Amino acid sequence: MDMLIWGGAALTMAGVLTLLWCILLAMRARKSALPEDQIKAQLQRVVVLNLGALAVSGLGLIVVVTGILLT
């Protein structure tokens, strides 16, 4: 069960790091001197990545809780 907990923690950490990366991408897109249409397109891609990272992080937390309950 320890493997389940540590695997879930790693999954959660990967999701959180990806969320931080999304923040950096969004800040970089907003500061760029691109036209508004291109900025919106970049931010839409960041939103998709952000939702995926949030899902991975949530899955990791579920795995950690499952590991704790089975211990």
Side-chain angles (χ1 to χ4, degrees):
M1 294 310 142
D2 286 340
M3 199 103 146
L4 201 60
I5 295 171
W6 285 108
L11 202 58
T12 301
M13 187 55 76
V16 169
L17 290 175
T18 307
L19 286 170
L20 292 174
W21 187 49
C22 287
I23 292 170
L24 292 174
L25 287 176
M27 286 174 38
R28 197 179 310 159
R30 286 195 173 249
K31 288 183 181 180
S32 68
L34 296 173
E36 188 175 336
D37 295 341
Q38 290 180 354
I39 291 174
K40 282 185 181 182
Q42 283 183 351
L43 289 177
Q44 285 176 347
R45 280 183 257 142
V46 171
V47 167
V48 171
L49 183 62
N50 189 14
L51 288 174
L54 190 61
V56 168
S57 186
L59 255 164
L61 288 174
I62 290 171
V63 171
V64 168
V65 170
T66 303
I68 290 172
L69 289 175
L70 292 176
T71 300

